[in-house]
Amino acid sequence: MKTMIISDIHGYSNNLKKVLDIFYKEGCKKLIILGDLLSPGSDYEEVKKLLNNFKFSLLCMKGNNDNYIYPGELDFNIIDDYINIKLDSNNTYITHGHRYNRYNINLVEKDILITGH
């Protein structure tokens, strides 16, 4: 399954629309966002609308600028801290990077760490 990973939208819908065009053109099925969804951009209502349309194919991490997002404001969950998933049989740690990073996640050979920030 083709997966797109992005980070740090910061409330700019024009940039997000360009990324989503690539998502469709490339035939991606899953979108992983590494945090910082809405702030400080002025288009955050449009960003919320665009992202809510992806709620079934979205894995979203919480960034350091996402602390003010209220429960229920989005139609999908945001994962705090980090998550460990399998990608091509490798342990893959996904996080924004402001709390967890290469210094405090115990990585072993062939582990993958993907951060935003």
Side-chain angles (χ1 to χ4, degrees), residues 2-21:
K2 207 170 201 180
T3 301
M4 176 180 271
I5 302 172
I6 64 172
S7 184
D8 296 86
I9 299 165
H10 286 291
Y12 294 104
S13 63
N14 286 336
N15 293 338
L16 179 58
K17 288 175 185 176
K18 291 174 187 175
V19 166
L20 296 179
D21 284 345

Side-chain angles (χ1 to χ4, degrees), residues 3-8 31-35 59-62 79 81-88 90-105 107 110-117:
T3 301
M4 176 180 271
I5 302 172
I6 64 172
S7 184
D8 296 86
L31 178 63
I32 297 174
I33 304 175
L34 302 175
L59 175 63
C60 187
M61 305 307 300
K62 185 176 185 178
I79 300 169
D81 301 330
Y82 71 89
I83 189 169
N84 180 1
I85 63 173
K86 290 281 189 190
L87 288 178
D88 294 332
N90 293 317
N91 285 323
T92 304
Y93 295 87
I94 299 171
T95 185
H96 182 63
H98 65 293
R99 281 191 210 138
Y100 292 92
N101 51 54
R102 65 186 174 130
Y103 301 110
N104 55 12
I105 293 179
L107 301 171
K110 295 191 179 184
D111 282 355
I112 298 169
L113 174 63
I114 303 173
T115 68
H117 217 351

Side-chain angles (χ1 to χ4, degrees), residues 7-71:
S7 184
D8 296 86
I9 299 165
H10 286 291
Y12 294 104
S13 63
N14 286 336
N15 293 338
L16 179 58
K17 288 175 185 176
K18 291 174 187 175
V19 166
L20 296 179
D21 284 345
I22 295 168
F23 179 91
Y24 289 119
K25 286 178 186 173
E26 292 295 323
C28 296
K29 301 296 182 201
K30 187 83 168 170
L31 178 63
I32 297 174
I33 304 175
L34 302 175
D36 284 356
L37 306 175
L38 304 178
S39 176
S42 60
D43 303 336
Y44 62 86
E45 289 296 330
E46 180 69 12
V47 170
K48 286 194 300 189
K49 180 182 165 190
L50 291 167
L51 293 179
N52 282 336
N53 289 331
F54 275 83
K55 63 185 172 188
F56 297 113
S57 61
L58 181 65
L59 175 63
C60 187
M61 305 307 300
K62 185 176 185 178
N64 57 301
N65 287 300
D66 294 330
N67 289 327
Y68 69 93
I69 297 175
Y70 300 107

